[in-house]
Amino acid sequence: MAWAPKAILMNGRLLPFAEAAIHPLSLAVTYATTVFEGLRAYRVTTTDEAAPRFALFRFAEHVKRLHVGMKLLRMDPV
């Protein structure tokens, strides 16, 4: 079975992936003013499969790079 996205974080809200939308006049579209930083998460094997856990890989380093990119574009790190 292939992985498929189920949800997306958009404007601080978790939405079903099918509802993801972007305005065509968004600065991200018209001027490519975006900052992107991807995180890797690995499932941690537990004895209780009803409550799976995940570990983030180098979270602090990702956040630091994200803030540097936002600073370069003069974005407010909300």
Side-chain angles (χ1 to χ4, degrees), residues 11-12 66-67 70 75-78:
N11 295 327
L66 180 64
H67 281 212
M70 292 175 74
M75 294 179 170
D76 184 23
V78 179

Side-chain angles (χ1 to χ4, degrees), residues 2-48:
W3 178 86
K6 295 178 184 172
I8 188 166
L9 186 64
M10 190 168 164
N11 295 327
R13 293 181 21 225
L14 197 59
L15 300 173
F17 190 79
E19 292 182 24
I22 187 167
H23 193 280
L25 297 179
S26 160
L27 290 178
V29 173
T30 57
Y31 297 108
T33 53
T34 61
V35 178
F36 174 82
E37 184 64 34
L39 289 173
R40 288 186 184 168
Y42 296 94
R43 187 174 181 158
V44 177
T45 305
T46 63
T47 57
D48 181 14

